[in-house]
Amino acid sequence: MTGAAPATPQPARPASVVLGIETSCDETAAAVVARDAAGKGRILSNIVRSQWEEHRAFGGVVPEIAARAHAECLDEIVSAAMSGAGVLFEDLDAVAATAGPGLNSGLIVGLITGKAIALAHGKPLIAVNHLEAHALTVGLTSELAPPYLLLLVSGGHTQLLLVHGVGRYERLGTTIDDALGEAFDKTAKLLGLGFPGGPAVEAAARNGDPARFPFPRPMAGRAELHFSFAGLKTAVRVRAQALQPLTDQDIADVCASFQAAVAGSVADRIARAMSVAVERLPAGTPRHLVVAGGVAANQALRTALQDLTDSKGFTLHVPPVALCGDNAAMIAWAGAERLALGLTDPLDFSVRPRWPLDASAAPAIGAGVKA
Ligand code: KG4
Ligand code: ZN
């Protein structure tokens, strides 16, 4: 087990105000977050500008377009976050910017901006791991602190982790092919529902019959804690082709049945991970399951996981929907958590397009594994 290793430990500072900057994918975001001496968080501002319109015509995120869009609006978004919070740069205790994982050119835009502000105002820089930010978000709006079992489900990642503490992550499982958000996006694309796919599939599924198509529950019953969604995606494609021309009801039923299969597969994997968590965490540790990342917004998944946690004696925690997808409040919060431990980074910190939370975890078997 390893974490995002600290570069320059400094004396711990309990209370702080931190500016966060996020540019790892297709959201340009800046936020200011306060953390009090007791470790309680407060969002002072949280600005997110999505680039969906720029990418929609291409059916996915185009890295060059993303980087240019970040560069064009980041200064303005940082200014809006600062004035929205009512703080000046000199009031900040640190500047936190996402340094990875993500799209290289977008990361560079955000990290350079963070470095420039830190340098100009003599503030410490915190180079934040985007996955760590998702993993710690729950602590920004609730009292929950590690250790907990975490399901991290986004457009690029699908992982089960034991969160032992800030910077201390143990990966239990990952996907051997597509990430779950990617499976939603591809399903939406093949059904002609547009981009980003997750919210579109969820909306279409509301009028659908989840029992009409018995899609496979990938990996269900398997001992290893990995995920797989490529086979499910193929099953959806084959079914959609067989139904041509698709009616609105067909699309709704395919989406509802897809979500039911996803929920079934994910619940099976988590049930197994819960047993591992109970074995590995110290005896008597309260049993918490946290779900984070963009797909955590999905209500069908939340309902399935609520049922699972109720039946297994775990408590389910999901951040507010606005904090599930990419945002900078979570980056500022991860920065504040690290700063409280005296963890800051040097100004020559380089972006890390690949940056696993648990570098010691063995790669999963399969092509296209997400770190
Ligand atoms: O965490 P996130 O905003 O960005 C990444 O770090 O990847 O996650 C984006 C992913 C996309 O694949 C999007 O389709 C998916 O989260 N997503 C959803 C929902 N809202 C966003 N998937 C299922 N249901 C949703 N309601
Ligand atoms: Zn994310």
Side-chain angles (χ1 to χ4, degrees), residues 71-320:
E72 276 167 12
C73 69
L74 183 56
D75 287 354
E76 200 182 302
I77 284 178
V78 168
S79 299
M82 294 298 291
S83 57
V87 296
L88 303 170
F89 285 124
E90 48 263 42
D91 301 329
L92 296 172
D93 292 287
V95 180
T98 305
L103 299 172
N104 188 54
S105 40
L107 291 168
I108 290 172
V109 173
L111 187 58
I112 283 186
T113 302
K115 286 176 179 179
I117 296 169
L119 183 64
H121 299 278
K123 304 294 177 183
L125 172 77
I126 298 153
V128 171
N129 181 313
H130 179 93
L131 303 178
E132 173 164 63
H134 276 304
L136 300 178
T137 302
V138 70
L140 170 55
T141 52
S142 79
E143 305 285 305
L144 186 68
Y148 45 78
L149 176 63
L150 172 73
L151 172 71
L152 176 49
V153 272
S154 69
H157 301 272
T158 302
Q159 303 188 8
L160 274 165
L161 295 143
L162 281 179
V163 178
H164 294 280
V166 174
R168 293 164 50 223
Y169 307 94
E170 182 181 356
R171 201 194 74 192
L172 302 179
T174 185
T175 177
I176 60 170
D177 41 57
D178 293 344
L180 184 50
E182 198 179 351
F184 270 93
D185 293 337
K186 288 177 177 172
T187 295
K189 198 171 179 179
L190 75 88
L191 295 173
L193 293 178
F195 174 83
V201 168
E202 178 163 28
R206 272 189 207 112
N207 306 316
D209 174 6
R212 180 166 164 204
F213 304 113
F215 290 133
R217 266 67 172 155
M219 306 297 277
R222 296 272 286 270
E224 72 272 24
L225 283 170
H226 296 320
F227 298 86
S228 167
F229 298 107
L232 174 57
K233 180 188 63 194
T234 305
V236 170
R237 195 183 58 238
V238 168
R239 176 60 65 180
Q241 280 164 352
L243 288 167
Q244 291 291 345
L246 289 160
T247 64
D248 285 351
Q249 193 57 53
D250 289 335
I251 291 175
D253 293 345
V254 168
C255 287
S257 300
F258 165 79
Q259 283 195 154
V262 162
S265 170
V266 171
D268 174 89
R269 311 286 66 217
I270 295 179
R272 203 164 275 265
M274 284 170 165
S275 313
V276 176
V278 169
E279 268 170 36
R280 299 218 184 142
L281 294 176
T285 303
R287 299 175 180 191
H288 297 291
L289 172 69
V290 174
V291 187
V295 188
N298 187 275
Q299 198 53 52
L301 184 63
R302 286 179 182 227
T303 303
L305 298 184
Q306 188 66 62
D307 292 347
L308 176 70
T309 45
D310 288 349
S311 72
K312 297 277 184 187
F314 272 67
T315 311
L316 178 67
H317 305 263
V318 191

Side-chain angles (χ1 to χ4, degrees), residues 22 24-25 130-131 134 152 154-157 293-294 324-327 330:
E22 160 61 35
S24 68
C25 192
H130 179 93
L131 303 178
H134 276 304
L152 176 49
S154 69
H157 301 272
C324 286
D326 288 348
N327 66 86
M330 70 178 192

Side-chain angles (χ1 to χ4, degrees), residues 35-57:
R35 181 186 185 282
D36 73 14
K40 203 169 175 322
R42 198 156 55 90
I43 299 174
L44 305 184
S45 64
N46 187 20
I47 315 273
V48 182
R49 183 191 174 278
S50 172
Q51 303 174 357
W52 293 344
E53 291 307 327
E54 280 96 324
H55 300 288
R56 184 162 282 141

